[in-house]
Amino acid sequence: MGVTETKDEFAYHRSVLPNLGVLLTLALIETVVVHLLAVALWGWTVAIVLGIIDVSAVFALLSLLRAIKRQPVTIRNRILTMRVGNLKVLPIPVSHVAGLREHWDGAALKKRGVLNLALATWPNIMIELDPPVAYRRRKIRAVAHKLDDAPAFAKAIKAVMAEEAGTLPTRS
């Protein structure tokens, strides 16, 4: 069961899951090959231990795939929640969103202050943050993601930012 998108929820599973599905397939193939090699070289005891580790990794990946489908990016109560399932979740006050970038290169994605939530795909949205947001002992200055409907997200976040700017007290 997937997510029904509303104006405050933005799915990313159609963009991210195909590449992760390929990763899962490779993990399953690797599990079989390593298991057979372990049996041939070291015996059943080592093969069983490696098999348990591999099966645990496959179940963790399956859990991530389910979470990605069920947990969209959201904009609620002036909080933008960027996420990749349960793996990474970053709540961002809308007041910290400085803008959206339309173009970037690989070097921009590799900067320490950029959190790339697109996993194994090229992101289609990058949100600039000012002031930065703290995340796991890092100061995040930008968040990149691959959303299924980036134009709808851009429209929604710009509307919330405009509303936020309109509600801020003016200085005289």
Side-chain angles (χ1 to χ4, degrees):
M1 182 166 127
V3 170
T4 304
E5 288 188 51
T6 63
K7 64 180 180 174
D8 63 349
E9 294 181 347
F10 303 91
Y12 51 93
H13 65 275
R14 289 185 297 273
S15 298
V16 174
L17 286 185
N19 288 347
L20 293 179
V22 170
L23 180 64
L24 177 62
T25 302
L26 292 173
L28 291 171
I29 293 168
E30 180 267 343
T31 297
V32 171
V33 171
V34 167
H35 189 77
L36 292 173
L37 283 172
V39 168
L41 296 174
W42 299 295
W44 283 103
T45 305
V46 172
I48 289 172
V49 170
L50 289 175
I52 290 170
I53 293 169
D54 282 343
V55 168
S56 298
V58 167
F59 279 123
L61 188 54
L62 284 172
S63 174
L64 175 63
L65 295 177
R66 283 192 205 121
I68 284 172
K69 196 166 185 178
R70 292 182 179 153
Q71 297 179 350
V73 167
T74 59
I75 306 171
R76 293 189 181 124
N77 301 322
R78 300 191 193 283
I79 301 291
L80 166 62
T81 304
M82 299 296 288
R83 69 174 74 235
V84 177
N86 293 328
L87 185 65
K88 294 181 180 179
V89 179
L90 179 65
I92 304 166
V94 171
S95 61
H96 286 49
V97 177
L100 300 175
R101 286 181 65 179
E102 295 180 13
H103 304 286
W104 55 88
D105 59 7
L109 285 175
K110 293 178 185 176
K111 289 183 179 176
R112 180 157 172 75
V114 176
L115 181 62
N116 186 356
L117 300 178
L119 297 181
T121 61
W122 187 260
N124 61 2
I125 192 94
M126 185 179 286
I127 302 159
E128 296 286 338
L129 304 176
D130 188 26
V133 176
Y135 179 75
R136 296 184 183 174
R137 296 189 225 153
R138 287 173 49 193
K139 296 264 188 212
I140 302 301
R141 299 183 186 288
V143 180
H145 210 317
K146 174 81 171 185
L147 301 177
D148 293 342
D149 191 358
F153 173 80
K155 182 178 177 182
I157 195 69
K158 287 176 183 176
V160 173
M161 288 169 59
E163 181 182 312
E164 178 81 12
T167 61
L168 294 176
T170 57
R171 295 183 183 171
S172 6

